[in-house]
PDB file of all heavy atoms in Angstrom:
ATOM      1  N   GLN A  13      10.223  -8.775   4.596  1.00 98.00           N
ATOM      2  CA  GLN A  13      11.653  -8.977   4.812  1.00 98.00           C
ATOM      3  C   GLN A  13      12.050 -10.391   4.392  1.00 98.00           C
ATOM      4  O   GLN A  13      11.216 -11.310   4.364  1.00 98.00           O
ATOM      5  CB  GLN A  13      12.011  -8.755   6.276  1.00 98.00           C
ATOM      6  CG  GLN A  13      11.943  -7.302   6.710  1.00 98.00           C
ATOM      7  CD  GLN A  13      12.482  -7.100   8.110  1.00 98.00           C
ATOM      8  OE1 GLN A  13      12.394  -7.978   8.954  1.00 98.00           O
ATOM      9  NE2 GLN A  13      13.052  -5.921   8.355  1.00 98.00           N
ATOM     10  N   ALA A  14      13.311 -10.548   4.063  1.00 98.00           N
ATOM     11  CA  ALA A  14      13.833 -11.867   3.710  1.00 98.00           C
ATOM     12  C   ALA A  14      13.505 -12.864   4.824  1.00 98.00           C
ATOM     13  O   ALA A  14      13.522 -12.518   6.011  1.00 98.00           O
ATOM     14  CB  ALA A  14      15.328 -11.793   3.476  1.00 98.00           C
ATOM     15  N   GLU A  15      13.210 -14.072   4.416  1.00 98.00           N
ATOM     16  CA  GLU A  15      12.793 -15.179   5.289  1.00 98.00           C
ATOM     17  C   GLU A  15      11.346 -15.058   5.749  1.00 98.00           C
ATOM     18  O   GLU A  15      10.858 -15.942   6.463  1.00 98.00           O
ATOM     19  CB  GLU A  15      13.713 -15.338   6.496  1.00 98.00           C
ATOM     20  CG  GLU A  15      15.138 -15.730   6.130  1.00 98.00           C
ATOM     21  CD  GLU A  15      15.195 -17.002   5.303  1.00 98.00           C
ATOM     22  OE1 GLU A  15      14.530 -17.992   5.663  1.00 98.00           O
ATOM     23  OE2 GLU A  15      15.890 -17.001   4.258  1.00 98.00           O
ATOM     24  N   GLY A  16      10.675 -14.007   5.324  1.00 98.00           N
ATOM     25  CA  GLY A  16       9.264 -13.860   5.668  1.00 98.00           C
ATOM     26  C   GLY A  16       8.369 -14.645   4.739  1.00 98.00           C
ATOM     27  O   GLY A  16       8.838 -15.378   3.856  1.00 98.00           O
ATOM     28  N   SER A  17       7.045 -14.485   4.941  1.00 98.00           N
ATOM     29  CA  SER A  17       6.057 -15.234   4.174  1.00 98.00           C
ATOM     30  C   SER A  17       4.979 -14.301   3.645  1.00 98.00           C
ATOM     31  O   SER A  17       4.685 -13.259   4.238  1.00 98.00           O
ATOM     32  CB  SER A  17       5.392 -16.298   5.062  1.00 98.00           C
ATOM     33  OG  SER A  17       6.325 -17.252   5.508  1.00 98.00           O
ATOM     34  N   LEU A  18       4.409 -14.701   2.526  1.00 98.00           N
ATOM     35  CA  LEU A  18       3.237 -14.040   1.957  1.00 98.00           C
ATOM     36  C   LEU A  18       2.338 -15.109   1.353  1.00 98.00           C
ATOM     37  O   LEU A  18       2.824 -16.160   0.907  1.00 98.00           O
ATOM     38  CB  LEU A  18       3.624 -13.040   0.869  1.00 98.00           C
ATOM     39  CG  LEU A  18       4.156 -11.673   1.268  1.00 98.00           C
ATOM     40  CD1 LEU A  18       4.576 -10.896   0.030  1.00 98.00           C
ATOM     41  CD2 LEU A  18       3.138 -10.881   2.060  1.00 98.00           C
ATOM     42  N   ARG A  19       1.053 -14.809   1.301  1.00 98.00           N
ATOM     43  CA  ARG A  19       0.111 -15.698   0.630  1.00 98.00           C
ATOM     44  C   ARG A  19      -0.635 -14.904  -0.435  1.00 98.00           C
ATOM     45  O   ARG A  19      -1.336 -13.948  -0.116  1.00 98.00           O
ATOM     46  CB  ARG A  19      -0.889 -16.283   1.620  1.00 98.00           C
ATOM     47  CG  ARG A  19      -1.787 -17.368   1.037  1.00 98.00           C
ATOM     48  CD  ARG A  19      -2.961 -17.626   1.938  1.00 98.00           C
ATOM     49  NE  ARG A  19      -3.641 -18.882   1.655  1.00 98.00           N
ATOM     50  CZ  ARG A  19      -4.894 -19.140   2.016  1.00 98.00           C
ATOM     51  NH1 ARG A  19      -5.594 -18.235   2.674  1.00 98.00           N
ATOM     52  NH2 ARG A  19      -5.434 -20.312   1.739  1.00 98.00           N
ATOM     53  N   LEU A  20      -0.453 -15.322  -1.661  1.00 98.00           N
ATOM     54  CA  LEU A  20      -1.171 -14.693  -2.763  1.00 98.00           C
ATOM     55  C   LEU A  20      -2.464 -15.455  -3.035  1.00 98.00           C
ATOM     56  O   LEU A  20      -2.507 -16.675  -2.907  1.00 98.00           O
ATOM     57  CB  LEU A  20      -0.310 -14.684  -4.022  1.00 98.00           C
ATOM     58  CG  LEU A  20       1.070 -14.041  -3.921  1.00 98.00           C
ATOM     59  CD1 LEU A  20       1.744 -14.051  -5.288  1.00 98.00           C
ATOM     60  CD2 LEU A  20       0.989 -12.639  -3.363  1.00 98.00           C
ATOM     61  N   SER A  21      -3.482 -14.710  -3.417  1.00 98.00           N
ATOM     62  CA  SER A  21      -4.759 -15.294  -3.799  1.00 98.00           C
ATOM     63  C   SER A  21      -5.131 -14.798  -5.189  1.00 98.00           C
ATOM     64  O   SER A  21      -4.777 -13.686  -5.577  1.00 98.00           O
ATOM     65  CB  SER A  21      -5.860 -14.905  -2.811  1.00 98.00           C
ATOM     66  OG  SER A  21      -5.566 -15.351  -1.513  1.00 98.00           O
ATOM     67  N   CYS A  22      -5.857 -15.614  -5.914  1.00 98.00           N
ATOM     68  CA  CYS A  22      -6.352 -15.227  -7.224  1.00 98.00           C
ATOM     69  C   CYS A  22      -7.756 -15.797  -7.371  1.00 98.00           C
ATOM     70  O   CYS A  22      -7.932 -17.022  -7.373  1.00 98.00           O
ATOM     71  CB  CYS A  22      -5.438 -15.761  -8.314  1.00 98.00           C
ATOM     72  SG  CYS A  22      -6.084 -15.570  -9.996  1.00 98.00           S
ATOM     73  N   THR A  23      -8.724 -14.917  -7.490  1.00 98.00           N
ATOM     74  CA  THR A  23     -10.118 -15.333  -7.627  1.00 98.00           C
ATOM     75  C   THR A  23     -10.564 -15.144  -9.070  1.00 98.00           C
ATOM     76  O   THR A  23     -10.313 -14.095  -9.668  1.00 98.00           O
ATOM     77  CB  THR A  23     -11.013 -14.536  -6.686  1.00 98.00           C
ATOM     78  OG1 THR A  23     -10.596 -14.781  -5.336  1.00 98.00           O
ATOM     79  CG2 THR A  23     -12.464 -14.960  -6.831  1.00 98.00           C
ATOM     80  N   ALA A  24     -11.191 -16.177  -9.605  1.00 98.00           N
ATOM     81  CA  ALA A  24     -11.617 -16.166 -10.995  1.00 98.00           C
ATOM     82  C   ALA A  24     -13.120 -15.990 -11.117  1.00 98.00           C
ATOM     83  O   ALA A  24     -13.887 -16.538 -10.315  1.00 98.00           O
ATOM     84  CB  ALA A  24     -11.198 -17.476 -11.667  1.00 98.00           C
TER      85      ALA A  24
END
Side-chain angles (χ1 to χ4, degrees):
Q13 289 188 329
E15 295 304 313
S17 297
L18 281 175
R19 188 195 196 201
L20 305 184
S21 300
C22 171
T23 299

